[in-house]
Amino acid sequence: MTITLTAARTIIRTAMEHGAEAGMKPLSVVVLDAGGHVIAFERGDGASPGRFDIARGKAYAAVMMGMTGSALRHRAEAQGYFVQAMNGLFDGRFVPVPGGVLVRDGSGAVIGAVGVTGDTSENDAAAALAGIEAAGLTGEG
């Protein structure tokens, strides 16, 4: 199973709506496939232009390591040298914080990741999870 463009658009739209309804700052949302390639991205009105790289970095770290952004943050706190090494291996595209959410299929296999940025990392993750759920997929944040 893969994340379709239609599902990616649903994830993005719902994550953005969730953020707006919750009074969050403008969000930016990216959806990656299991290989870390961009399926779709949107930057909310008023979001800074650097948000694409942050959102992609959150999702990329999650999908490349098969770990949630929350788990990666804990790993960074416990083993900063390891996360620095991973960031070097992945050409600086590794942002180990919540807001990088894994997407799993019905059998539990990782089929991609969603990265959200713009508000607190925890709120970013909540928006990503809302979007993933709306698309009928399973998120792990």
Side-chain angles (χ1 to χ4, degrees), residues 18-136:
H18 176 90
E21 289 168 7
M24 294 180 195
K25 295 176 184 171
L27 299 180
S28 296
V29 184
V30 69
V31 179
L32 305 183
D33 66 16
H37 304 100
V38 175
I39 299 171
F41 169 76
E42 278 191 32
R43 180 170 56 93
D45 293 339
S48 63
R51 293 295 176 171
F52 170 74
D53 291 320
I54 297 168
R56 182 183 60 185
K58 287 181 174 189
Y60 193 79
V63 79
M64 289 295 111
M65 296 300 295
M67 299 172 71
T68 67
S70 297
L72 287 165
R73 176 176 58 189
H74 293 302
R75 185 91 185 250
E77 291 168 349
Q79 296 178 310
Y81 60 89
F82 175 79
V83 170
Q84 268 189 313
M86 292 304 98
N87 207 12
L89 285 174
F90 295 120
D91 298 321
R93 294 178 289 168
F94 195 86
V95 180
V97 297
V101 177
L102 294 171
V103 181
R104 295 185 182 273
D105 67 12
S107 69
V110 174
I111 58 170
V114 174
V116 177
T117 183
D119 206 85
T120 67
S121 293
E122 287 72 18
N123 284 346
D124 294 344
L129 287 166
I132 294 165
E133 182 178 309

